[in-house]
Amino acid sequence: MKPTLFALLAAGLFSTGALAQVTVTDPWVRATVPAAKSAGAFMQLKSASATRLVGVSTPVAGRAEIHEMAMENNTMRMRAVDGIDLPAGQPVNLASGGYHLMFFDLKRQLKEGETVPVTLVVQDAAKKRSSVTVEAQVKPLTYVAPAAQGHGSGHGQHQGH
């Protein structure tokens, strides 16, 4: 299904200001093996005005966090961050090797072909928070997203796990 359809479906549940503010494109989650306790989620975000992604949740996980892959002392490390700036009108990619979402304490296996609800919390310059929920497609364990169009997270990595 197309992300715009999900945005239209979510319009009845969330303030229209939030929907006009942030557009979510191609949300997906990597499938898991049966015993896995974590999974990564990826998408592209674009905000009409300067906004900040400050939270994430999903009913399939005990907790969800915003993460960044970055070089520290010549080693690539993943760490939680308190948010990601979404500059006005510029796409921000949440992709392998850069900013992404992590789901921990999974409540069940995530199987290829299903969808997973993901709620994003954004905060505007006036510190007003709003939520946008999208349905993320579960992709195969071996899936590699195509190179995104437009500006990215600056990391240039589109492969990996």
Side-chain angles (χ1 to χ4, degrees), residues 5-94:
L5 175 60
F6 295 120
L8 292 173
L9 293 172
L13 303 173
F14 300 99
S15 75
T16 54
L19 292 170
Q21 180 85 6
V22 176
T23 303
V24 180
T25 307
D26 299 326
W28 66 279
V29 179
R30 194 172 308 280
T32 61
V33 295
K37 292 298 179 191
S38 65
F42 314 93
M43 62 199 66
Q44 184 182 83
L45 306 176
K46 187 173 182 180
S47 181
S49 60
T51 309
R52 186 168 172 83
L53 175 66
V54 295
V56 60
S57 64
T58 180
V60 300
R63 77 180 199 277
E65 298 176 352
I66 304 165
H67 276 231
E68 176 186 30
M69 294 288 290
M71 290 298 288
E72 287 180 18
N73 300 321
N74 296 320
T75 303
M76 184 66 86
R77 298 198 187 275
M78 182 175 71
R79 64 182 177 94
V81 295
D82 63 358
I84 301 171
D85 290 330
L86 306 177
Q90 295 182 20
V92 175
N93 292 319
L94 304 188

Side-chain angles (χ1 to χ4, degrees), residues 66-141:
I66 304 165
H67 276 231
E68 176 186 30
M69 294 288 290
M71 290 298 288
E72 287 180 18
N73 300 321
N74 296 320
T75 303
M76 184 66 86
R77 298 198 187 275
M78 182 175 71
R79 64 182 177 94
V81 295
D82 63 358
I84 301 171
D85 290 330
L86 306 177
Q90 295 182 20
V92 175
N93 292 319
L94 304 188
S96 293
Y99 288 118
H100 59 281
L101 307 177
M102 284 298 299
F103 301 156
F104 296 102
D105 304 323
L106 291 176
K107 297 176 181 179
R108 62 178 176 79
Q109 180 181 5
L110 303 181
K111 296 180 181 176
E112 178 183 345
E114 68 181 347
T115 58
V116 173
V118 179
T119 300
L120 306 172
V121 179
V122 294
Q123 181 173 287
D124 64 18
K127 304 289 187 198
K128 180 182 176 195
R129 290 186 177 205
S130 52
S131 299
V132 178
T133 298
V134 296
E135 292 289 327
Q137 181 82 30
V138 179
K139 301 282 188 177
L141 277 167

